[in-house]
Amino acid sequence: MSTETLEEKLPEVAEVPKEPLFSSKNKRLLTDPLDDDNPITVQVLGICSALAITVQVQQAVVMALSVVFVMFFGNIIISVLRDIIPSRIRIIVQLVVVASLVILVNEILKAFLPDISERLSVFVGLIITNCIIMGRFEAFAMGNKVFPSALDGIGNAMGYAWILVAVAIAREVFGSGAISFPGIGQIKFIPDGFFEFGYANNNLMILPPMALIVVGIIIWVQRSRNTKLIEEN
Amino acid sequence: MEALNIFVKSIFIDNMIFAYFLGMCSYLAVSKTVKTAVGLGFAVIFVLGITVPINFLLENFVLAEGALTWVDESFATVDLSFLSFIMFIAVIASMVQLVEMVVEKFAPALYGALGIFLPLIAVNCAILGGSLFMQERQYTTIGDATVFGLGSGVGWLLAIVGIAAIREKIRYSNVPAPLRGLGITFIITGLMGIAFMAFMGIEL
């Protein structure tokens, strides 16, 4: 018993000068992008391409997971290579890393989720030029160690993912009255009684412009709660 | 007639910004004044007009299934289309570099106007989006593909110049504080998109 605890303690003693695995600084890397430093509503990165697939929740979830995957492994790879990459050609190197990861995602989707892959059409490919990925490579992974970079990747991708899914939920609930899940079928969110009283689904929500307005409203709500984010006019 | 149809469609109905949200990052970042918006808009038209036809040739003579038969009959079953993302982005990045050098050498005035925007464009989603849509919609001739590229660029220019003009004026309005800047830009873009939906269904 005593030897066991001693052995367990030994590596800890050796690691004292290093920071613990989940120090408050590392935790902030994960939590900041969810609200205060959200890639979409605050950093204004990565709106491109993403909003077009928020018509349905399942598409949005698949897209969000793809971005989490690409961001996590991309940040790790760039962070590992950061001392080898010559700074003059770093953009090309970053593009090649993202493009290879996206090809992987695209082939996996084609093989296992052919329907959704069909509906996402070109937007999986467009993850390559999603500014949030290149933005985090430039701003974080090029100058930080592997573990913080991985956390930063997950944090930012999650910050992006929740906005995407929130927009999709708003659009599908108000646009179709129900959310369809693969395997389960549709789950109704608006009770039938409403329709008897003359409630009608807002078909405008399914059309592209409403995604922008929903994001505008999310930004409005977020900045009313978090007043330090308000911009000078 | 077919070409004109593609042109009008890509400007108004399949507008890069309002229908597909492509190139939103630069759209939001560079739309504070009309002057810079026009500069970036023309740079986008220019680069789309060059990269879409080049990627069309790449797609039809190298990447698509059976495209390599002009080299040898035995390549008829080779399908390289999984490589298209990386090839397209490589073409775009190198074309942007090349265009930048050519313009700097032969049209210094144009370079002065577009200069800062050209390198930004390599990572503009609208450019890669143009090539990917070209691949998906299977245009039959290089002429159609070029017209589609130029039309998408013009549509993008229209959108960014429109929002820049509105943002210049909105500075004098009393926007609720939390909506200032980004929020109101999103909502106005949405309203502009609804206006553009009036063009839906036009066939020439």
Side-chain angles (χ1 to χ4, degrees), chain A residues 27-205:
Chain A
K27 245 182 233 159
R28 288 187 63 82
L29 285 178
L30 268 179
T31 54
D32 258 7
L34 294 183
D35 186 20
D36 282 4
D37 200 21
N38 190 286
I40 290 189
T41 60
V42 182
Q43 302 177 47
V44 207
L45 292 174
I47 302 114
C48 344
S49 80
L51 292 177
I53 47 80
T54 52
V55 180
Q56 276 193 320
V57 174
Q58 40 172 320
Q59 287 175 31
V61 169
V62 171
M63 183 74 177
L65 289 179
S66 313
V67 172
V68 171
F69 173 85
V70 173
M71 212 53 250
F72 176 68
F73 286 102
N75 252 4
I76 289 179
I77 293 173
I78 292 292
S79 171
V80 168
L81 296 177
R82 70 185 187 280
D83 294 329
I84 312 169
I85 301 173
S87 70
R88 298 196 66 186
I89 57 159
R90 67 183 189 283
I91 303 275
I92 304 272
V93 175
Q94 290 165 1
L95 280 175
V96 170
V97 170
V98 191
S100 325
L101 286 168
V102 171
I103 289 176
L104 243 147
V105 168
N106 194 35
E107 295 296 315
I108 292 171
L109 286 184
K110 266 191 201 158
F112 295 105
L113 295 167
D115 303 350
I116 292 186
S117 158
E118 189 105 312
R119 262 177 285 156
L120 290 177
S121 74
V122 303
F123 294 103
V124 178
L126 286 170
I127 296 177
I128 299 173
T129 47
N130 195 323
C131 340
I132 177 187
I133 293 179
M134 299 289 283
R136 290 328 290 176
F137 283 2
E138 274 289 294
F140 202 91
M142 285 299 285
N144 283 283
K145 291 205 179 105
V146 176
F147 184 66
S149 299
L151 288 182
D152 180 77
I154 293 186
N156 276 283
M158 291 309 286
Y160 165 91
W162 85 255
I163 299 261
L164 208 62
V165 174
V167 174
I169 289 175
R171 287 180 77 188
E172 206 175 359
V173 165
F174 292 111
S176 331
I179 295 181
S180 53
F181 293 96
I184 311 170
Q186 289 208 323
I187 294 180
K188 285 205 169 119
F189 277 81
I190 311 283
D192 285 335
F194 277 37
F195 291 96
E196 283 162 27
F197 281 114
Y199 175 88
N201 285 323
N202 185 354
N203 287 330
L204 200 59
M205 288 304 266

